Amino acid sequence: MPLAIPTAGTAVTALTLAVPVTAGANHVVVEGAVTVSISFAAVLAAALNPTITVVLLQDGAPVATTSSSDLLAITLLGAFSLTRTIPISFFNGALTPGTHIYTVTVTVSGITLAVGGPTATITYSSLSAITAT
């Protein structure tokens, strides 16, 4: 189900995953991907620099960050959309036993999101983890 990003510059949680870790299997590989769609009605001339930032948090602390940025010069009238899929991954080889929480957040910046104006939506998100020795 699509998840709206209502405000530019504010992180939205795309998904969360609890990963149980034991002393015998305290290595973890976390992989995920997020697809974000930005749609707007173009004016006669506009310069936009939408940036999509994806952050992976481990127990509330950032452990990986990646982003996608596009410089757009639009000189047409009509609807326009931009879709980007951004992968993210992380490896930790020395986790303490217990359940660790991984969260993916998405922030869109470089444009102003508003009702009736540009909108941003997370249209797909996935997150998986593998533990090993």
Side-chain angles (χ1 to χ4, degrees), residues 109-129:
S109 57
I111 58 173
T112 301
L113 302 175
V115 174
T119 60
T121 306
I122 299 169
T123 57
Y124 172 82
S125 58
S126 69
L127 188 62
S128 63

Side-chain angles (χ1 to χ4, degrees), residues 21-101:
V21 174
T22 64
N26 66 341
H27 296 89
V28 67
V29 175
V30 180
E31 295 182 331
V34 177
T35 300
V36 176
S37 178
I38 301 172
S39 301
F40 50 91
V43 294
L44 187 56
L48 303 170
N49 188 19
T51 300
I52 303 165
T53 303
V54 177
V55 177
L56 177 65
L57 301 124
Q58 175 185 289
D59 300 325
V63 292
T65 301
T66 188
S67 65
S68 173
S69 183
D70 293 277
L71 181 58
L72 307 172
I74 301 168
T75 56
L76 55 90
L77 201 56
F80 182 82
S81 67
L82 171 76
T83 300
R84 294 289 179 261
T85 299
I86 303 169
I88 194 160
S89 61
F90 173 69
F91 170 77
N92 189 329
L95 280 172
T96 58
T99 299
H100 295 274
I101 306 297

